[in-house]
Amino acid sequence: MRDQKERVYSIERLTKNEFRHALAVNLITQEEHDKYLQELNELTSYIYEKYKDDPSFYPDDWDKINQYYEKIIGLDFVRGYVKEGLEDSWLIEM
C-alpha cells in the first residue's frame, strides 16, 4: 500500500488541475475556483502538518478525507477520467 501522504499529495495534484481546467473553460467562476482551492488547501495543510512525522492516519481524519473525496466526485464539472484517478489515489481499503 502506498504511503498515506503520497495518496493525499496525488489527490491534491489531480484536484488542483481539475479546478484549473474547469476555470479555464468557464465551467466554474473565479470565486468558485478560489473556494474549492481554499477547502482543498485547508484539508491538505491540516493532513501534512498533523502527519509530518507519523506514517498512519487516525479514523477521524480518514472520515474527513473521505467526505472531501465524496464531495469532489459529486461535482458536475469533474471529468470522468479524473474521478477514476481520484478513486485510484484515494479510495481506502477498509
Side-chain angles (χ1 to χ4, degrees), residues 40-52:
L40 176 63
N41 286 338
E42 286 172 5
L43 177 64
T44 55
S45 294
Y46 166 80
I47 294 295
Y48 292 147
E49 182 61 29
K50 185 170 180 180
Y51 296 102
K52 62 185 173 190

Side-chain angles (χ1 to χ4, degrees), residues 67-82:
Q67 287 171 0
Y68 185 78
Y69 165 81
E70 292 292 332
K71 177 182 178 179
I72 295 303
I73 64 167
L75 295 172
D76 291 339
F77 66 84
V78 178
R79 296 170 285 180
Y81 80 89
V82 172

Side-chain angles (χ1 to χ4, degrees), residues 8 20 30 45 47 51 56-58 65 72-73 81 85-86 91:
V8 171
R20 274 190 228 113
Q30 182 68 50
S45 294
I47 294 295
Y51 296 102
S56 60
F57 289 178
Y58 296 102
I65 292 169
I72 295 303
I73 64 167
Y81 80 89
L86 294 174
L91 265 187

